[in-house]
Amino acid sequence: MLKYNKEEKMKDIIKGAYDLHVHSAPDILPRKFDDLEMAQRIIDSGMAGFAAKSHYFCTAERAKLVNKLYPDCNMVGAISLNSSVGGINPMAVEMAARAGTKIVWFPTCDSKHEQSFVFNDDPNKKLPYWASIVIQLKEDGINYPTYRILDETGKLIDEVYEILDIIAKYDMILATGHLSHEETFALVEEASKRGVEKIIITHVTFPTTFYDIEEQKRLIKYGAYMEHCYTTYSTNKVDFSVMYEQIKAVGTDNVILATDLGQSTALYPDEGLYDFAMKLIEAGIDESDVRDMIVKNPADLLGL
């Protein structure tokens, strides 16, 4: 049997893959690469496309331009429901949908749950990439609201119902962001009732959003995919063995792999996705199952 060199093996493993969680420039935060460089890397690596995630802006307009310049790369637009788009804002989602957005992330860095975890008065805590923006805005006296999607009685706020109906109408993907478990379960259950057919539970092993196996199985019953991200274990936020056991327990049919890359000191997403795939294969997951998690399942979510 012929041995592959790394470049050949990389193209074989990640050929046709999508990374649905990439942080590319232009952005407020410093990024390792921009959309154009990422599109060229997608083509050169044999991948099919990527979703550009910004905590602050809709990326659908950028995606249209990139796809015109790089027709062999499918860049996917997204929106995150944080303060800069008005938070839980149905009009922002409607306009994003009309611009071609495919993914709607519920609050990430502006989730009340996330910020209460990050800004917990621990002086030795390493703050995430985006925390500097929060600190700067507050120092400048700028109002910086955070969001919880449940009211004081535990019921979803009215705007959430409107947003779910928009997501269903345009067949977009709902991603749960950095919500609390209480919020996520209420959101996913209602989404299922309202005809939302594409759901991603955002990085299920991340410290602020960690779901155990039984919780993941409950969410899978609503048709949700569990998202596992390269950066979560590569930055020591969770042991790889925990991620591996979760994937084995819930089944690769219910999982997508992504990278969450874009940090200026980290790997490129194509490199990270390859390393992630190879680590899982070396740990004992069949190569065809790994490819399902990076090729088939993301493509199904995108309706391809």
Side-chain angles (χ1 to χ4, degrees):
M1 180 181 292
L2 293 174
K3 290 185 177 180
Y4 291 96
N5 62 37
K6 181 173 180 178
E7 183 177 352
E8 290 171 338
K9 185 65 176 175
M10 181 174 183
K11 287 189 174 181
D12 185 49
I13 293 293
I14 66 173
K15 182 179 180 180
Y18 279 90
D19 185 349
L20 298 185
H21 197 145
V22 172
H23 293 281
S24 51
D27 197 1
I28 290 175
L29 295 164
R31 296 301 182 189
K32 187 180 180 75
F33 49 85
D34 62 24
D35 297 334
L36 303 182
E37 183 179 3
M38 189 65 229
Q40 188 61 59
R41 293 189 70 93
I42 291 290
I43 295 167
D44 292 344
S45 67
M47 290 176 64
F50 72 103
K53 179 180 182 181
S54 169
H55 291 301
Y56 307 105
F57 309 112
C58 177
T59 62
E61 296 90 344
R62 287 160 47 183
K64 283 187 176 180
L65 291 173
V66 169
N67 291 335
K68 184 175 182 179
L69 291 168
Y70 298 86
D72 291 329
C73 168
N74 181 15
M75 178 176 164
V76 176
I79 188 170
S80 299
L81 302 183
N82 292 317
S83 297
S84 54
V85 301
I88 313 303
N89 182 356
M91 184 56 73
V93 179
E94 177 70 34
M95 292 298 103
R98 294 185 182 206
T101 293
K102 300 297 184 185
I103 304 175
V104 178
W105 267 282
F106 271 72
T108 56
C109 56
D110 294 350
S111 160
K112 186 167 288 188
H113 167 74
E114 175 71 18
Q115 290 214 16
S116 66
F117 183 93
V118 169
F119 297 106
N120 63 354
D121 298 324
D122 179 355
N124 299 313
K125 186 171 188 173
K126 183 180 178 181
L127 295 177
Y129 222 42
W130 50 262
S132 61
I133 301 295
V134 178
I135 293 169
Q136 289 169 13
L137 289 171
K138 289 183 176 179
E139 287 177 348
D140 290 343
I142 297 172
N143 181 41
Y144 195 105
T146 56
Y147 300 94
R148 177 173 163 80
I149 65 170
L150 300 176
D151 63 20
E152 61 278 1
T153 69
K155 181 175 179 281
L156 290 166
I157 61 174
D158 291 343
E159 291 84 355
V160 172
Y161 297 107
E162 295 181 55
I163 288 170
L164 291 177
D165 289 342
I166 296 167
I167 292 172
K169 177 174 70 171
Y170 290 98
D171 195 28
M172 294 191 289
I173 301 167
L174 183 161
T176 55
H178 292 215
L179 300 175
S180 68
H181 285 201
E182 181 188 15
E183 293 171 282
T184 293
F185 278 101
L187 177 66
V188 170
E189 181 178 0
E190 188 62 31
S192 179
K193 290 178 183 177
R194 289 177 176 261
V196 176
E197 297 182 348
K198 299 170 180 179
I199 303 171
I200 297 172
I201 310 301
T202 305
H203 39 49
V204 293
T205 55
F206 196 74
T208 57
T209 55
F210 188 94
Y211 296 86
D212 64 31
I213 290 169
E214 292 310 309
E215 288 171 325
Q216 290 182 42
K217 288 181 177 179
R218 285 171 56 197
L219 291 163
I220 286 167
K221 290 179 181 178
Y222 297 106
Y225 285 89
M226 305 299 110
E227 180 197 58
H228 287 271
C229 289
Y230 169 81
T231 56
T232 311
Y233 80 85
S234 67
T235 56
N236 300 312
K237 293 180 177 68
V238 70
D239 191 83
F240 177 79
S241 63
V242 173
M243 189 177 286
Y244 173 81
E245 290 302 325
Q246 288 192 0
I247 293 171
K248 291 287 287 184
V250 306
T252 55
D253 288 347
N254 304 303
V255 173
I256 64 166
L257 306 182
T259 66
D260 195 10
L261 285 169
Q263 302 80 12
S264 55
T265 58
L267 296 178
Y268 287 97
D270 51 303
E271 297 172 329
L273 193 64
Y274 169 74
D275 283 356
F276 197 1
M278 289 304 298
K279 192 170 181 69
L280 287 167
I281 291 168
E282 290 164 1
I285 295 182
D286 190 82
E287 182 175 321
S288 64
D289 291 331
V290 170
R291 282 187 51 78
D292 280 350
M293 293 187 287
I294 62 176
V295 179
K296 179 184 179 299
N297 298 347
D300 285 348
L301 280 163
L302 292 171
L304 302 173

